Amino acid sequence: MSDCLFCKIVRKEIPAAIVYEDDTLLAFKDINPQAPVHLLLIPKAHCENLNDLTPATAEAAARIPGVAAQLARDHGVAEAGWRLTTNCGIEGGQGVYHLHFHVIGGKPLGSRVCR
Ligand code: AMP
Ligand code: ZN
């Protein structure tokens, strides 16, 4: 998608603090971190959100929990605890319509997943 912000990051057309990259996934630091560790893990292929998965994007997305756990270890939050979440659609609070998972940790996050 030519005008998608995260597709532009995938194509390296705009800068991002990339912390992980493989053939189908990319992770970078959130520009407005809500915790000491706040990463965004995305499939490189454009897909709006979990409502929009295709067989190809689902294959990449299926690898996200494992890569997120590796990122949590790499960033030193695995043992203390961390969170993996995705916002889907308007009431889900989604702001950027390229599927992305937040990897958040480094402070107590509480047990509530919504307010
Ligand atoms: P969401 O509300 O789940 O769609 O989350 C979108 C996230 O993207 C927010 O946490 C933003 O801070 C983050 N974000 C927006 N623009 C950028 C950017 N250029 N680089 C890194 N993160 C971004
Ligand atoms: Zn995109």
Side-chain angles (χ1 to χ4, degrees):
M1 278 265 283
S2 57
D3 59 347
C4 168
L5 176 66
F6 288 176
C7 282
K8 287 180 182 170
I9 289 176
V10 169
R11 293 194 299 265
K12 316 276 169 68
E13 290 172 6
I14 63 171
I18 292 172
V19 296
Y20 176 84
E21 180 167 17
D22 64 28
D23 286 351
T24 59
L25 300 177
L26 184 73
F28 48 94
K29 294 184 179 176
D30 195 292
I31 204 166
N32 183 25
Q34 296 179 32
V37 174
H38 188 170
L39 310 174
L40 298 175
L41 177 56
I42 71 171
K44 287 181 169 177
H46 183 83
C47 164
E48 279 201 348
N49 56 36
L50 289 179
N51 289 336
D52 187 37
L53 281 182
T54 63
T57 50
E59 200 173 314
R63 296 181 42 244
I64 281 181
V67 173
Q70 185 60 53
L71 288 169
R73 285 191 288 275
D74 292 347
H75 291 263
V77 298
E79 281 206 17
W82 55 289
R83 180 171 292 162
L84 177 64
T85 188
T86 188
N87 296 335
C88 185
I90 294 170
E91 292 198 358
Q94 186 171 9
V96 178
Y97 278 74
H98 180 127
L99 178 62
H100 56 278
F101 288 75
H102 299 257
V103 178
I104 305 167
K107 70 174 186 181
L109 300 171
S111 58
R112 293 188 66 164
V113 292
C114 66
R115 42 170 197 260

